[in-house]
Amino acid sequence: MLDTSFAITPDKEKTINKHLFRSVGKLISYEQVNQTIECKCENGFVTFSFPQYDVIRVLMDQDKSPSKQSSFAVIESKEMVEVLIEDLVDQLKITTNNVTVIVNKVDFTVVVVNQSDNVIVSEDKFGLGYNEKNQAMCYKKMEETDCFYGFGQKTGYLDKRGEKLSMWNTDVFAPHNPSTDELYQSIPFFIATRTKNAYGLFVDNTSKTVFDLKTSTEHYSFTVDEARLDYYLFVGPTAKDVLTQYTTLTGTMPLPPKWSLGYHQSRYSYKTEQEVRDLVKSFREKDIPLDAVYLDIHYMDDYRVFTFDRTRFPNPKQLVSDLQAQGVKIVPIVDPGVKRDAEYDVYKEGVNNHYFSKYIDGTIYHGDVWPGSSAFPDFTNSQVRAWWGKRHQFYTDLGIEGVWNDMNEPSVFNETKTMDLSVVHENDGQPKTHRELHNIYGLMMGAATYHGLKQQLENKRPFLLTRAGYAGVQRYATVWTGDNRSFWEHLQMTLPMCMNLGLSGVAFSGPDVGGFANDSNGELLTRWTQVGLFTPYFRNHSVLESIHQEPWSFGEPYESIIKRYIQERYVWLPYLYTLFKDASDTGIPVMRPLFLEYPDDEETRQIYDQFLVGKDVLVAPILTPSTNHRAVYLPEGNWVDHWTNKRYKGNQYHLIKADIEVLPIFIKEGAIIPLSKTKSSTQVLDEEMEIHVYPKANETMTFTYYEDDGHTFNYQSGGYYSATFDAHMTSDNVVLHYKDQHAGYEPNWSVLTFVLHGPTEHSVKLKCEIKRQVSTKIIKQPFK
Ligand code: MIG
C-alpha cells in the first residue's frame, strides 16, 4: 500500500459487502454417544461435550460429523462429565452439575445458563453458521456492560470491546501502533466480564481466526478460515475461575528457574566474547545485579544455528563457566531457519532424514532469513521435534541452560512475511498445509526445544524465551513482546499487553525494557526499568546501531536510579517467586489487572495504566516524560505507600507525587509480603528474610510462603519449603504466627525480621512453630 494520500483517493471507497450469513439451521436429529451429544442440523453437524464440569466444547462441521481431534494446544480434553438430556418441544437441554446448554431447535441458537438459571452467554437470531466465503463462524450476544480481555498479544488498551482482532502470527518490525493487529502471538482466547460474572471462550484453530467486537454493538462474532469450528466455553463464574479452567485445558507455566526471574541484559548484538566479559565486569564493578546475558545472531558462524563463530567466540565453554562463577547465565538465540549449505551437518541431517517442511511434490521449501536461503524444520512431526531437541546438546554441553527462540512465526523475508502457505506439514500422519497450521509453528518449535533441554539438563529447569506462540505456549516458554520501540507510547503499551497475555494463560511475559528499536534516553529507560521491576520477565534489549542502553549508558542521575530498581527486583523476589508458584499451579497471572481482584468495582474495568502484583501490591508507574505526578486509583480498603509508609484510603483517586526516582507502589492493608535483601544474582542465597505485615484490625491475615532450591525439579517430589505467616491484630495487641507447612527443603536464611507497618502502641507476640533455628526480630514502622 502506498504511504501517501493516494491511499485514500476519493473513488476508492468500496461498496460494503452485504453480510451474508447462513445458519447451521434447525435441529433435525440428535444422538447421545457416551457423554457427547451429536446433532444433525439443516446445514451441518454440531457436537457438544464437556471436558470439565464448567467447560463446554462445541464442534461444528459442514458435511460430516466434526472430527474431535484437538490441536497441540490442548492437553486435557476428556469427555467424562455426566450429562442429562431433556428433549422439550422447542428446546434441547443438556445439563451437567454446573451448567445447562439450551439449544433452540428452530434456529439452533444456544443459551448457556448456570444452576440458578442466570444466563452466562447467549445467542439470539443467529448463532453457528457460515459466512459468504463458507468460513465457519459464530455470533454471540454482547451486553452493554461486557468487557473483553485476553486475545494474547495485542496493541491497544486493556478492554478490546469495539475492536476487530485477527490471529495470524506475524513478524512486525517496530510499528506496534494502534492499527497493528496481528503480532507474534496468536491466542484465540478471551475472558468476557459481565456485571458480576465472567466467562471465557477459546477457539482452537491453528489457522487464521478473526474476532469481531466492532461491527455491531449487540453481537460479536468469531470466524475461522475453515468449514470446521472447534470452540470451548468456560463458564467461570469469576475471571480467575475462567483462567483456571482454560489453563487446565491448555496447561500452566512450569515453575521457572529462579535465575530467569532476575535482571537480564541483552543487545543485538554483544558481538564478541570480550564484549560479553567486559559487560559482565561492568555490572559487577558497578554492583548492579545481573542474572543473564543474551547472545543475539552474531555469535553464530554465518548465522548457522548450533554453531559459534570461532573468531568472535573462541571458547564458549570457558565463557559460560567463567560467567557462571559470577552468577550469570548465557542465553543464545536459536532461529528455526537452517542455512542451505550442503556441507553443514544440520542441513545435511535435515535433508537426508526428511526433517524439513516440504511442498506436496516432495521438494523442500526454502525461504530467505539471516543465513540466506534456509530450510525450516517441520516441527509438527514428533520425530523432527525429537531431533531438534537433541541438537540442543550442542548448547547444554557448553553449560547453557536457556535458549531464545526468535523468527518462529515463522518469519521469512518475502512479501507474505512467512512460509509458503501451500507447504504441507507432516503433522504425525495427518498432513495439513502451512495455511492450516501456521499459528502453531512457534509453539511446536518451543515444545521441541523445551523437551530437548529438559532431557539434557537432567534435573535442572530449562529456560526458553520465545517470540511466537499459540494457546498453550506457557507450557514451554516465556514470551517477550518483540520489536517495540523506545517510545513513551510503547512503555504505556507494555502494561495492557502484558496484562492481556497474563489473561491469556501466559503468566511469564515482558517487553524489551528501554525499547528495542529507535534510541532510548535516560528518563525513558529509568521509567521503563521501574516498570520492569514488576513485569514477570525483566530484560533490557536494544537493536543494532541504536544508542546503547545498558543501565549506566545515560549517566547520572539515571544510572543510580536504574541500579536501585534492578536491586529492588531482588528484594521482591521471595514475594514474586511465591506468585510464580501460584501461577504454575492455578494459571492466575503474577501481573494482574485491577478488575481481576476487584470484579465488583466497575471503576477497575478499564484501568490499563496501573496493575497489581499478586493481589496486594498495586503499582502505578509514570508513563509520560517530564511528569512527576499522576492520578492513582486505589480500590476499596486502605493502602500503604511502600516508600513513605503513608496510608491512603481506597475507593478513590489520589494525586501522587512521583519524581524520577519514584515508582509508586502501594501495599494493601491486610497484606503480608516477604522481602529479602538485594544481591548480585539469584544464585546468591538469602541470609535474611523480612516479613512485612500490614495488619488490619480484627482480621486474621495469612500468607503462604513458598521456597525451593530454585533450579531443580526436586520440588515436584516434595523438595520444597512452605510456611504460613499469620497475623491478628486486636485493639491492643498483634499476634504473629509463623508455622512450617512443609519442610522438604531447608531455606538458607536464618535471620527473620517482622516489620510491622502501622501499630505503635500495640504489644506484639510472636509464636513460632518451626523446625529450624531462626533468629527473629520485630520492627515497628509507624504510618506517616
Ligand atoms: O529482525 O536477532 O525480535 O529481538 O534482536 C531481526 C535479531 C531479528 C528480531 C528480534 C530481536 C532480535 C533480532 N531479531
Side-chain angles (χ1 to χ4, degrees):
M1 211 232 280
L2 284 174
D3 250 358
T4 65
S5 302
F6 183 77
I8 44 166
T9 41
D11 55 352
K12 271 198 91 184
E13 196 176 340
K14 291 185 222 114
T15 41
I16 294 159
N17 269 342
K18 206 171 154 253
H19 196 74
L20 284 177
F21 175 76
R22 194 161 49 90
S23 157
V24 72
K26 73 165 185 276
L27 177 67
I28 294 171
S29 62
Y30 74 91
E31 196 188 342
Q32 180 171 357
V33 182
N34 302 320
Q35 304 307 332
T36 302
I37 293 78
E38 307 195 342
C39 304
K40 186 171 185 311
C41 304
E42 218 172 358
N43 295 313
F45 298 80
V46 180
T47 69
F48 296 96
S49 59
F50 299 83
Q52 298 162 38
Y53 280 102
D54 18 37
V55 179
I56 306 157
R57 183 182 186 193
V58 183
L59 279 155
M60 175 180 77
D61 208 344
Q62 191 157 248
D63 304 317
K64 53 183 185 299
S65 187
S67 149
K68 289 181 187 158
Q69 179 81 48
S70 294
S71 83
F72 195 75
V74 171
I75 51 166
E76 194 175 284
S77 186
K78 302 182 216 109
E79 285 158 12
M80 308 217 320
V81 174
E82 296 271 336
V83 294
L84 186 85
I85 299 192
E86 277 175 275
D87 191 348
L88 310 176
V89 184
D90 306 327
Q91 294 179 331
L92 191 66
K93 284 190 170 184
I94 312 163
T95 304
T96 74
N97 282 354
N98 295 8
V99 282
T100 301
V101 176
I102 304 167
V103 180
N104 294 305
K105 291 181 178 178
V106 58
D107 57 2
F108 212 82
T109 53
V110 174
V111 178
V112 178
V113 300
N114 65 15
Q115 284 157 311
S116 12
D117 275 343
N118 292 323
V119 173
I120 298 167
V121 54
S122 65
E123 298 164 356
D124 65 349
K125 290 186 274 193
F126 23 74
L128 283 165
Y130 313 91
N131 66 10
E132 70 281 6
K133 293 185 199 146
N134 210 34
Q135 295 169 318
M137 65 179 301
C138 183
Y139 284 97
K140 298 212 181 277
K141 268 193 85 172
M142 185 146 81
E143 302 286 348
E144 229 180 285
T145 54
D146 291 359
C147 300
F148 297 84
Y149 309 98
F151 302 100
Q153 184 196 4
K154 293 289 172 196
T155 59
Y157 295 97
L158 193 62
D159 175 11
K160 302 302 185 198
R161 190 190 173 108
E163 296 190 28
K164 196 168 172 180
L165 306 156
S166 171
M167 302 287 166
W168 184 257
N169 288 2
T170 309
D171 172 6
V172 182
F173 175 67
H176 297 205
N177 62 34
S179 72
T180 311
D181 180 6
E182 294 159 347
L183 280 167
Y184 317 92
Q185 295 277 331
S186 292
I187 307 181
F189 167 74
F190 67 79
I191 299 174
T193 59
R194 175 174 292 182
T195 48
K196 293 209 177 317
N197 290 342
Y199 70 89
L201 196 149
F202 166 48
V203 184
D204 189 10
N205 170 47
T206 57
S207 187
K208 186 175 281 193
T209 303
V210 177
F211 294 91
D212 185 353
L213 314 161
K214 181 183 199 168
T215 306
S216 152
T217 50
E218 279 150 32
H219 302 93
Y220 65 86
S221 70
F222 46 97
T223 307
V224 296
D225 200 5
E226 327 268 350
R228 173 181 175 271
L229 180 65
D230 181 2
Y231 81 90
Y232 296 82
L233 276 172
F234 308 90
V235 305
T238 68
K240 283 186 177 178
D241 295 330
V242 171
L243 270 166
T244 300
Q245 290 152 7
Y246 170 72
T247 52
T248 302
L249 190 80
T250 61
T252 55
M253 157 192 73
L255 186 60
K258 230 181 208 176
W259 66 266
S260 66
L261 309 186
Y263 175 78
H264 295 190
Q265 185 64 49
S266 184
R267 168 103 181 149
Y268 173 25
S269 302
Y270 295 122
K271 288 186 186 148
T272 64
E273 199 174 305
Q274 197 51 49
E275 200 181 347
V276 173
R277 287 177 185 278
D278 291 346
L279 177 82
V280 174
K281 198 163 158 240
S282 297
F283 271 92
R284 291 300 172 246
E285 278 171 7
K286 290 171 179 294
D287 199 19
I288 302 175
L290 176 69
D291 261 273
V293 172
Y294 287 64
L295 301 184
D296 208 325
I297 53 176
H298 290 92
Y299 80 84
M300 291 178 272
D301 170 16
D302 220 2
Y303 310 120
R304 285 174 187 83
V305 285
F306 310 108
T307 67
F308 268 90
D309 180 297
R310 280 164 206 256
T311 318
R312 293 178 169 174
F313 288 87
N315 196 346
K317 193 164 190 168
Q318 193 63 47
L319 176 70
V320 171
S321 80
D322 290 350
L323 261 49
Q324 170 61 42
Q326 300 176 67
V328 178
K329 307 272 186 195
I330 285 281
V331 181
I333 197 166
V334 178
D335 292 353
V338 176
K339 187 177 176 65
R340 180 180 202 159
D341 170 357
E343 295 177 4
Y344 167 36
D345 58 343
V346 183
Y347 186 74
K348 283 194 286 185
E349 242 177 74
V351 172
N352 293 336
N353 294 295
H354 305 281
Y355 289 158
F356 293 127
S357 306
K358 292 177 179 173
Y359 287 106
I360 193 164
D361 64 7
T363 46
I364 294 175
Y365 168 78
H366 286 95
D368 278 346
V369 272
W370 300 119
S373 179
S374 302
F376 296 81
D378 185 357
F379 294 114
T380 67
N381 176 341
S382 43
Q383 263 183 305
V384 175
R385 292 200 297 281
W387 167 64
W388 190 258
K390 224 167 157 198
R391 271 272 163 197
H392 285 73
Q393 188 102 37
F394 172 76
Y395 298 110
T396 52
D397 280 350
L398 299 172
I400 286 168
E401 294 170 26
V403 160
W404 170 20
N405 282 169
D406 185 23
M407 304 290 280
N408 52 348
E409 294 70 30
S411 173
V412 181
F413 303 151
N414 63 26
E415 277 284 293
T416 69
K417 293 185 158 200
T418 194
M419 191 182 286
D420 206 327
L421 300 186
S422 66
V423 163
V424 179
H425 292 294
E426 203 274 344
N427 202 28
D428 281 344
Q430 290 183 291
K432 282 189 177 176
T433 61
H434 187 71
R435 185 193 64 78
E436 294 170 288
L437 293 172
H438 175 74
N439 284 345
I440 208 156
Y441 190 83
L443 170 74
M444 299 197 90
M445 179 181 184
T449 308
Y450 183 82
H451 289 310
L453 291 174
K454 190 170 174 186
Q455 214 162 34
Q456 290 141 26
L457 293 174
E458 291 170 346
N459 192 27
K460 277 195 205 141
R461 297 176 215 168
F463 170 69
L464 175 62
L465 179 69
T466 188
R467 194 169 71 177
Y470 178 68
V473 64
Q474 67 273 7
R475 305 201 295 266
Y476 312 111
T478 304
V479 169
W480 104 99
T481 58
D483 298 342
N484 61 6
R485 300 201 206 183
S486 299
F487 292 164
W488 289 93
E489 289 80 354
H490 282 196
L491 167 57
Q492 291 154 24
M493 190 169 64
T494 290
L495 273 62
M497 195 179 263
C498 291
M499 284 191 268
N500 275 321
L501 275 164
L503 295 171
S504 309
V506 183
F508 197 3
S509 78
D512 283 345
V513 168
F516 177 67
N518 298 77
D519 294 317
S520 203
N521 61 63
E523 188 189 357
L524 180 60
L525 182 63
T526 303
R527 291 303 194 187
W528 213 320
T529 307
Q530 290 174 347
V531 169
L533 154 59
F534 286 119
T535 50
Y537 178 59
F538 188 13
R539 181 185 73 154
N540 172 321
H541 181 51
S542 57
V543 73
L544 208 66
E545 288 177 4
S546 61
I547 291 182
H548 268 260
Q549 60 185 46
E550 288 75 23
W552 50 85
S553 300
F554 301 102
E556 293 297 349
Y558 308 112
E559 179 178 337
S560 302
I561 305 170
I562 290 168
K563 171 176 168 178
R564 166 115 195 256
Y565 279 86
I566 296 174
Q567 288 177 328
E568 192 72 12
R569 171 77 169 198
Y570 291 75
V571 169
W572 283 86
L573 265 178
Y575 180 62
L576 288 171
Y577 196 60
T578 297
L579 293 174
F580 269 85
K581 179 65 168 75
D582 289 347
S584 79
D585 290 337
T586 63
I588 312 295
V590 176
M591 179 182 183
R592 304 176 190 171
L594 274 60
F595 83 81
L596 200 61
E597 296 296 338
Y598 299 92
D600 296 339
D601 181 351
E602 278 181 34
E603 195 61 42
T604 62
R605 302 258 162 96
Q606 304 294 333
I607 295 182
Y608 68 92
D609 61 350
Q610 304 179 195
F611 58 96
L612 292 163
V613 182
K615 67 182 189 14
D616 293 322
V617 178
L618 186 145
V619 181
I622 298 286
L623 305 167
T624 46
S626 312
T627 305
N628 57 13
H629 281 84
R630 65 159 288 172
V632 177
Y633 180 70
L634 299 174
E636 56 87 11
N638 290 320
W639 297 79
V640 181
D641 185 315
H642 172 63
W643 305 111
T644 63
N645 224 35
K646 181 172 166 186
R647 192 157 59 149
Y648 292 87
K649 268 205 166 51
N651 236 329
Q652 56 182 279
Y653 282 89
H654 294 272
L655 184 65
I656 300 297
K657 183 151 197 293
D659 289 323
I660 186 73
E661 66 280 1
V662 177
L663 166 72
I665 305 171
F666 300 89
I667 322 283
K668 184 146 194 202
E669 196 176 78
I672 296 177
I673 311 279
L675 302 178
S676 62
K677 300 276 183 229
T678 194
K679 50 194 181 180
S680 62
S681 150
T682 58
Q683 298 190 50
V684 177
L685 295 175
D686 290 322
E687 306 281 335
E688 294 182 36
M689 190 61 59
E690 281 178 6
I691 302 297
H692 288 255
V693 183
Y694 296 81
K696 193 171 173 187
N698 303 316
E699 247 181 54
T700 301
M701 306 141 47
T702 189
F703 182 83
T704 305
Y705 175 84
Y706 177 85
E707 187 181 335
D708 57 28
D709 64 25
H711 64 276
T712 73
F713 285 96
N714 293 352
Y715 72 94
Q716 291 178 340
S717 47
Y720 66 91
Y721 176 72
S722 72
T724 48
F725 292 102
D726 291 345
H728 189 87
M729 179 166 81
T730 61
S731 53
D732 52 10
N733 73 18
V734 179
V735 181
L736 302 170
H737 185 192
Y738 168 26
K739 187 172 189 291
D740 282 345
Q741 289 295 327
H742 180 92
Y745 166 80
E746 187 162 342
N748 188 64
W749 45 271
S750 55
V751 178
L752 178 64
T753 309
F754 286 88
V755 184
L756 211 56
H757 294 259
T760 45
E761 307 297 308
H762 294 63
S763 68
V764 185
K765 245 197 287 173
L766 172 64
K767 209 168 101 191
C768 288
E769 286 178 76
I770 52 169
K771 282 211 192 92
R772 359 182 251 127
Q773 278 294 65
V774 173
S775 72
T776 57
K777 267 195 301 217
I778 295 167
I779 294 179
K780 284 183 179 174
Q781 245 175 50
F783 291 137
K784 257 234 195 108

